Amino acid sequence: MLKKTGRLLTCLIVLITIAALLISGCAGNKDTGKAAGGNEPYKIGAVIDISGPSSSLGVPERNTLQMLVDKVNAAGGVNGHPLELTILDNKSDETESVLAVKKLIDQQKVLAVIGCSASGTSMSMIDTVQKEKVPMISLAAASQIVEPVQDRQWVFKTAQSDIVTINKLMGYLKENNLTKVAFLYMNNAYGDGGKKAFSTAAQAGGLQIVAEEKFEATDKDMTPQLTRVKTSGAQVAVVWAIPPSASIVTKNFKDLNMGIPLLHSHGVGNQNFIDLAQGAADGVILPIGKLTVAAQIPDSDPQKTVLTSYMDEYSKKYNAQPNSFGGYAWDAFYLLVNALEKAGPDREAIRDQLEKTQNFTGVSGVFNLSAGDHNGLNEDSMVLVRIENGQWKMLK
């Protein structure tokens, strides 16, 4: 009898253990992103410059992506599938970017990748995503990220390309009869891309580059370069950089009383640039997306609703205003979501749908992508602004 009772107790314990394991297994599936209906999550990844020299770009991008994935999942996900987003920090380093994207593809099995924040880190991932045939949406500006398209079939981007920004600058230079230009640029992929595109545009437009100076992203003083510019006969200086070096050269520019206008690229489109320049940014002119001057654009602008909605959501969540870089992430995220809705969990189909995107109104502009254009933005996506008293003022 005792043996029989013991066997019954043993069986009972085993049954209880099995039941507990089953319950635990169900809870585990829920925690990993399964929706109430049991649909498998759509896995996507992002490689962002959250730390390092490009962190002023990456932090608002990370914040935006986290905010948006929570919003989509709270509304039921994509076609009933929750989004499972993995964000990795590349530390603003190209080698780290390659390691991160390989981890997302090989281990996480993501359907697509968003990133990186900077041109150099973005370009470092291209060979990997091309080889693995994984769609990638960059948040950086250099035209060569998506050109030539025949070698970048799996790569798209949301920041306005170099040439779009330069065409806006060229219009301003011509209107103001500024024909002798000094060009200063960061010694990296972003700066090199800007230099190449600006040189081509200047030659075509009859402008003369009378001084050309480069500096490292980590340099703390650009006075020697600016001293040479001051004696070059330049009527205007154009700088192609991002903070903090963009702020340093701007401060040096003011300290030397250069006496000529200072123009920047859209790489300085955040408050961090103004803050680090310590008052020296006043008077700087640059082309930029409409987000920074959203309150100044007319209500008839097709982007107005998107811009104000993004600003409201971001400021409520983070108690801070978003900037253009966060806007690049907003665009990349929703371009990908729209493609996922149509394509489902199929990398090639997602790529095809991205390429077919037309009239998508985003933060950075109205996107019209095609087999020949993986950026899809033109000069209408930008406005000229001047910084006055630490604030952005739209010129046109």
Side-chain angles (χ1 to χ4, degrees), residues 94-156:
E94 294 178 11
T95 300
E96 291 284 346
S97 300
V98 176
L99 293 173
V101 75
K102 287 183 176 179
K103 180 178 180 179
L104 290 174
I105 295 171
D106 296 339
Q107 298 181 25
Q108 301 296 324
K109 309 297 182 183
V110 297
L111 295 169
V113 176
I114 293 172
C116 300
S117 311
S119 295
T121 48
S122 291
M123 291 178 65
S124 71
M125 301 198 306
I126 290 174
D127 285 346
T128 300
V129 298
Q130 283 285 121
K131 179 182 177 182
E132 299 295 335
K133 297 184 177 180
V134 177
M136 165 183 160
I137 308 177
S138 170
L139 312 176
S143 301
Q144 59 262 46
I145 294 171
V146 292
E147 296 176 2
V149 177
Q150 61 266 28
D151 298 329
R152 306 282 194 269
Q153 292 182 347
W154 292 85
V155 185
F156 303 83

Side-chain angles (χ1 to χ4, degrees), residues 9-278:
L9 286 171
T10 301
C11 290
L12 183 60
I13 291 169
V14 171
L15 288 171
I16 291 171
T17 302
I18 291 171
L21 288 172
L22 287 172
I23 293 170
S24 174
C26 290
N29 285 337
K30 192 172 184 180
D31 290 341
T32 56
K34 274 201 173 184
N39 290 333
E40 291 289 340
Y42 286 164
K43 294 182 179 182
I44 59 176
V47 182
I48 306 295
D49 302 34
I50 299 170
S51 61
S54 302
S55 60
S56 65
L57 286 61
V59 170
E61 292 168 350
R62 175 203 61 192
N63 292 348
T64 297
L65 291 174
Q66 289 176 335
M67 178 183 75
L68 296 181
V69 76
D70 289 345
K71 180 180 178 181
V72 166
N73 283 338
V78 178
N79 298 335
H81 295 262
L83 286 177
E84 186 177 304
L85 171 65
T86 301
I87 301 176
L88 300 179
D89 179 15
N90 63 12
K91 305 173 186 176
S92 301
D93 181 84
E94 294 178 11
T95 300
E96 291 284 346
S97 300
V98 176
L99 293 173
V101 75
K102 287 183 176 179
K103 180 178 180 179
L104 290 174
I105 295 171
D106 296 339
Q107 298 181 25
Q108 301 296 324
K109 309 297 182 183
V110 297
L111 295 169
V113 176
I114 293 172
C116 300
S117 311
S119 295
T121 48
S122 291
M123 291 178 65
S124 71
M125 301 198 306
I126 290 174
D127 285 346
T128 300
V129 298
Q130 283 285 121
K131 179 182 177 182
E132 299 295 335
K133 297 184 177 180
V134 177
M136 165 183 160
I137 308 177
S138 170
L139 312 176
S143 301
Q144 59 262 46
I145 294 171
V146 292
E147 296 176 2
V149 177
Q150 61 266 28
D151 298 329
R152 306 282 194 269
Q153 292 182 347
W154 292 85
V155 185
F156 303 83
K157 74 184 191 73
T158 55
Q160 294 92 347
S161 285
D162 298 330
I163 192 60
V164 174
T165 308
I166 286 168
N167 285 342
K168 204 76 175 178
L169 284 173
M170 292 295 290
Y172 177 84
L173 294 173
K174 290 179 180 178
E175 287 176 14
N176 290 275
N177 297 314
L178 300 170
T179 59
K180 296 182 178 181
V181 184
F183 190 82
L184 300 95
Y185 63 101
M186 297 175 71
N187 186 27
N188 61 13
Y190 179 60
D192 290 342
K195 170 198 166 186
K196 181 179 179 181
F198 189 86
S199 297
T200 301
Q203 184 175 7
L207 274 63
Q208 182 182 1
I209 299 177
V210 296
E212 189 175 273
E213 299 285 343
K214 66 181 177 181
F215 49 87
E216 302 300 324
T218 54
D219 283 354
K220 305 301 181 185
D221 182 22
M222 290 73 165
T223 300
Q225 292 95 324
L226 289 169
T227 300
R228 290 191 288 271
V229 168
K230 197 169 185 178
T231 60
S232 69
Q235 299 171 309
V236 60
V238 176
V239 176
W240 212 266
I242 65 171
S245 60
S247 302
I248 294 170
V249 72
T250 300
K251 189 174 184 302
N252 295 156
F253 190 92
K254 182 178 181 181
D255 291 341
L256 287 173
N257 296 313
M258 297 291 288
I260 57 176
L262 176 59
L263 278 59
H264 269 274
S265 72
H266 56 330
V268 301
N270 60 21
Q271 188 62 35
N272 185 256
F273 165 70
I274 295 175
D275 294 342
L276 290 176
Q278 300 175 2

